[in-house]
Amino acid sequence: MSIYPKDMNIYGDWGNVLTVKRRLALYGYEPVIHTYNQGDPWPEHVDMILGGGGQDNGQKKISEDFFKRADILRKLAEEDVPMLMICGMYQLFGEYFETIDGTKLEGIGIFGVYTEGRETRMIGNLLEHSDRFGDVIGYENHSGQTFLREGVQPFGHVDHEGWGNNGKDMTEGARVHNVIGTYMHGPLLPKNPEVSDFLIRAAATHRYGDFQPQQSESQKAELAHIDALAANARRVASSRPR
């Protein structure tokens, strides 16, 4: 399910939805994509949730409806439903986001993190390392500085040039259960098949109890071709200047 795509969907974040949909099909599944915006009914079955970035006013627009869905989002997170929250949605999955004009937007607290708006724009290609996913490549563009509470696991660490969560502690994003929060736009998933497949395995396990692809030879070949394209894109992106 894509959450709030009308207001929280910038810098190619919809590409994450398309990537999951295509990879699931090539693994032999028949994915059904739901989009959820303010006032929409909640789908009967949700096995994965993807959220994108947006402007501060987009976050304010969805805030009231978002809190109506807070309990179910927390429950699904505790049930290990995989979620990927980019930038603005990552901030709202934390404790709060205090914008540059002093407005405090409360979050739903799935991540033990908080964010403060700053004048400095943190923008550029970003390569970080994750113990779980190896090198993760994306594009950051944010002015909110996010800080992790003690004991919170980051999504990755910025080993090279880049800002990450705040430009100070070299962390980027956060992880809890199967929920990932990150500032990585790009979109993230086409260039990072390891992250895509982590989400897909977790979703299949949540729905069916395990992950058992049923692929034809042509599906295997197409997936291998896509992975080769991703490897080339990763090589080029990792060599680009910020």
Side-chain angles (χ1 to χ4, degrees), residues 4-24:
Y4 302 117
K6 286 184 180 177
D7 295 295
M8 304 297 291
N9 176 26
I10 57 175
Y11 307 131
D13 290 337
W14 182 253
N16 293 326
V17 178
L18 298 179
T19 298
V20 166
K21 180 181 180 182
R22 188 61 187 151
R23 294 186 75 86
L24 272 166

Side-chain angles (χ1 to χ4, degrees), residues 1 42 46-49 66 69-85 93 108-112 175-181 198 202 206:
M1 182 174 78
W42 193 262
V46 177
D47 299 305
M48 181 190 301
I49 302 177
F66 182 54
R69 301 302 184 182
D71 285 345
I72 191 170
L73 288 167
R74 295 189 193 100
K75 180 174 181 290
L76 291 172
E78 290 173 358
E79 291 175 356
D80 289 331
V81 170
M83 306 184 198
L84 174 66
M85 296 296 135
F93 266 51
I108 62 173
I110 288 179
F111 297 122
R175 277 186 63 196
V176 61
H177 302 293
N178 286 330
V179 185
I180 296 171
F198 166 81
H206 176 260

Side-chain angles (χ1 to χ4, degrees), residues 2-65:
S2 172
I3 191 168
Y4 302 117
K6 286 184 180 177
D7 295 295
M8 304 297 291
N9 176 26
I10 57 175
Y11 307 131
D13 290 337
W14 182 253
N16 293 326
V17 178
L18 298 179
T19 298
V20 166
K21 180 181 180 182
R22 188 61 187 151
R23 294 186 75 86
L24 272 166
L26 292 175
Y27 281 124
Y29 291 89
E30 297 181 359
V32 176
I33 306 298
H34 300 280
T35 57
Y36 177 83
N37 292 290
Q38 299 102 300
D40 286 347
W42 193 262
E44 183 178 358
H45 295 291
V46 177
D47 299 305
M48 181 190 301
I49 302 177
L50 303 174
Q55 304 299 323
D56 292 357
N57 60 3
Q59 293 173 301
K60 293 173 184 175
K61 284 175 66 176
I62 69 167
S63 184
E64 181 178 350
D65 187 272

